[in-house]
Amino acid sequence: MSARPIPTPIYHITHVDNLPSIVSDDGLLSDSAMIARGGPAMAVGMSSIKERRLRLPVKCHPGDFVGDYVPFYFCPRSIMLYLLHMGNHPELTYRGGQGPIVHLEADLEDIVNWAQASGARWAFSLSNAGAGYSEFRSSVGELDEIDWAAVANTDFRSPEVKEGKQAEFLVQRFVPWELVERVGVQNAQVQNRVLAALAGATHRPPVDVLPRWYF
């Protein structure tokens, strides 16, 4: 099994249309918090899965639910992005493709340090956190239990790779915008839209065109 990359980047994906509200909120909100305020400008996930995540427990933090946490993947070019790219999943209402989807990259250790200092709980899953059978952990020392070879694999036809690649890092309620270290986009057109959304922000991370992060 491959070792965890150090430093450990993590990635939150969202539609470029959601960036203005993320910047105005000074950070990323959990699904439950977003639902309480009427939802995002552009929802890109599967509504049935999001609803299920509101009821699924984060088993290492009794009383908490997956939908109360801001989710990150451990890799760009995730399986969820592939589903958005294909646009043919029956539960997917968003049909805009991967082009407008942006990757918000952060550093795991920085977020853990912030969470511990602010009293926010965090956890990670060993597979899709939206699956009832997923296992959860809440210690940096347990990160080696993630299948890092699967996370890095670009061929996820194998069921084992598919499971491991969908591991998630979860942060309770909110993640500050200032912890986003880079924004990755597919093309220059979306890059310009991101730059416009960030024009008035105090924190303006680099916005890089990274086609290798896309299908």
Side-chain angles (χ1 to χ4, degrees):
M1 184 178 291
S2 298
R4 172 169 74 101
I6 308 259
T8 308
I10 54 177
Y11 305 86
H12 180 89
I13 60 172
T14 190
H15 195 282
V16 64
D17 288 352
N18 295 329
L19 281 181
S21 64
I22 291 171
V23 171
S24 67
D25 290 332
D26 290 325
L28 299 160
L29 300 175
S30 68
D31 278 344
S32 61
M34 286 301 303
I35 290 169
R37 59 187 289 177
M42 180 62 72
V44 296
M46 301 179 192
S47 58
S48 60
I49 293 177
K50 286 183 178 290
E51 290 170 7
R52 184 168 72 240
R53 289 168 72 99
L54 295 174
R55 303 186 300 272
L56 282 173
V58 178
K59 298 167 188 173
C60 58
H61 294 307
D64 289 0
F65 298 94
V66 175
D68 296 327
Y69 284 66
V70 180
F72 291 81
Y73 292 114
F74 291 97
C75 60
R77 206 172 184 265
S78 62
I79 293 175
M80 185 66 216
L81 183 68
Y82 178 74
L83 295 177
L84 298 176
H85 167 55
M86 296 301 292
N88 57 6
H89 194 285
E91 296 184 48
L92 193 66
T93 54
Y94 170 77
R95 304 292 177 182
Q98 65 175 340
I101 305 300
V102 302
H103 289 78
L104 307 181
E105 183 182 46
D107 179 81
L108 182 147
E109 286 80 5
D110 287 347
I111 289 188
V112 167
N113 290 337
W114 170 83
Q116 291 175 338
S118 62
R121 288 186 290 277
W122 61 272
F124 63 91
S125 62
L126 302 185
S127 56
N128 181 0
Y133 53 78
S134 190
E135 298 182 43
F136 293 84
R137 304 287 187 268
S138 58
S139 166
V140 170
E142 296 173 302
L143 282 163
D144 288 340
E145 294 186 41
I146 288 175
D147 186 345
W148 291 104
V151 168
N153 203 325
T154 58
D155 184 344
F156 42 82
R157 287 174 292 182
S158 159
E160 292 78 14
V161 171
K162 186 177 180 181
E163 284 294 323
K165 193 173 180 66
Q166 293 182 87
E168 296 180 46
F169 184 81
L170 305 168
V171 186
Q172 186 187 31
R173 291 191 298 270
F174 175 81
V175 172
W177 170 247
E178 65 185 18
L179 293 180
V180 174
E181 295 186 343
R182 176 166 61 158
V183 181
V185 301
Q186 187 187 34
N187 55 58
Q189 291 78 14
V190 177
Q191 182 187 43
N192 288 334
R193 292 174 65 184
V194 173
L195 291 171
L198 304 187
T202 302
H203 174 57
R204 293 192 292 273
V207 183
D208 295 337
V209 177
L210 298 166
R212 69 181 183 277
W213 285 9
Y214 293 81
F215 293 95

